[in-house]
Amino acid sequence: MSSSEPAAPEHNRKLYIETVGCQMNVLDSELVVAALRKQQFELTDDMYEADTVLFNTCSVRDHAEHKIYSQLGRLKFAKRHHPAKVIGVMGCMAQKDQELIFQRAPHVDLVVGTGQLAEIPRLLEVARTTRDRQIAISLDRREGSRSEVAMSFESYDPLRDPEMRPTPFQAYVRIMIGCDKFCTYCVVPMTRGPEQSRLPSHILAEVHTLVGQGVKEVTLLGQTVNSYRVTENGRMYRLSDLLEMINAVPGIERIKFVTNFPKDMTDDLLQAVRDLPKVARYLHVPLQSGCDEVLKRMKRGYTVADYRDMMQRIRATVPKCAVSSDFIVGFCGETEESFQKSMDLIRECRFKNSFIFKYSPRPGTKADDLWTDDIPEDVKRHRNHEMLELTNEIAEEDNAEFIGTDVEVLVEGPSKSSEKGKIETDTPQKVQLMGRSMCDRIVVFDGNPRLAGSTVTVDVHDCTSTTLMGSIVTRQVVHGLSIELPIVS
Ligand code: SAH
Ligand code: SF4
Ligand code: F3S
């Protein structure tokens, strides 16, 4: 750099960040990028040209870890040619594998667990200048008292970066960290630490900041989001209280929350979903299995009868509420009979959609210690396929009920097919847009991309198992008659 140029600290550093896993990770990546932008980092989507590479990792299934180790493998030679490149592993796998990551991938410079993300800017700088490996992780769950371990996992919710969001008007807001349920198959209580709820005043302040940045829809995040419970200034707050407070924030149009734990689906929460106009009529409440024996071995803490009772309360309190689920197929000892019980529950509950996973044994979990992974891979694959087919069949039947009705859609932007140039519309200024209804169904229709961020009414005329298709209408009242007009774009 010549001395006549303005005194920039250094050239902008190029950051490549890759995120796998759940919404928590998407949010964590947004926060880390926001912090790093303050340090003159700019984003690149080429990991080879980046001078800093970060992987935000997930350990929930073996596949997710494998993906990251393969990516790290690809960087081995790049690092040999560009020794100044800093490579970091953050998130759940960092907390779980710790030093092991340096052993398996010796070219990694930095390992930072989920509870230490605030350290990343500083540690990147130390790694860059000293070339020494840096590691920051929280205590293991057995390494101290509950409160000591909890203190070592810091909730990281400082700066926000609008550019990292799914769209400019949708944002995640963390309301809890950690999990204390200890389902026997799951690593999350280890990777995310003890369950801790954030204070309502902090959450509200963040929601106000987001509104200032143009956000209209917030999705509240927690591993068991409906277990939220915290005392501030002598008052106890539950999720229903939080929803009421956020519902009152001007500028917020929609509120969602994931993921719910069946046992904590209390009536006050269902009433809040029913009564608060901005809260989506959508509940993601994973069942995992429809067989009591399996649920017991999973240590989910409820029976099929409890789940049925919950579904009945949802149906009675919040009419037309969409419910979705997660299932694990091929869990240790899952017989064909137990699997068919899950299929029966799917027929009974008619989930809007379900995420279906093949059981993946996780070292360090109780299930892995106690039982062998005895269901062969091809049986798991077959059950996965069978369950997916049933789920889709039901979803398509239920989606067909929407044909001929109007749905309110918050427009997210051009649909994926339209972005890839697969869809052409009659009018050049129109593209295929996508958005979601209040019950979280995906809706596609033609319209001007400028509609992104607004709420429109769509008349549904067709569907698949995942999508409602329709056209935008506006409603005008003329001499007491309600008539529908095509929107002028
Ligand atoms: N906290 C959420 C989900 C966290 S993980 C909840 O309890 O609902 C997301 C999903 O991954 C789980 O719902 C479960 O279906 C699946 N999952 C977790 N551990 C798994 C494992 N070892 N093998 C396969 N799927 C798993
Ligand atoms: Fe894992 Fe169970 Fe906690 Fe969900 S509730 S994160 S499945 S331990
Ligand atoms: Fe994965 Fe961690 Fe989320 S293990 S599912 S990224 S909490």
Side-chain angles (χ1 to χ4, degrees), residues 60-72:
V60 82
R61 283 169 290 278
D62 184 56
H63 176 71
E65 294 192 340
H66 192 76
K67 207 168 144 186
I68 296 300
Y69 279 116
S70 310
Q71 283 292 67
L72 287 172

Side-chain angles (χ1 to χ4, degrees), residues 429-471:
Q429 72 272 33
K430 284 189 178 180
V431 296
Q432 189 184 61
L433 298 175
M434 71 77 62
R436 281 178 193 260
S437 70
M438 256 317 224
C439 57
D440 201 52
R441 284 184 165 84
I442 296 170
V443 187
V444 299
F445 46 92
D446 290 347
N448 191 305
R450 274 180 319 193
L451 287 171
S454 55
T455 298
V456 298
T457 304
V458 174
D459 175 26
V460 179
H461 44 65
D462 202 358
C463 74
T464 65
S465 59
T466 54
T467 313
L468 305 179
M469 285 91 107
S471 36

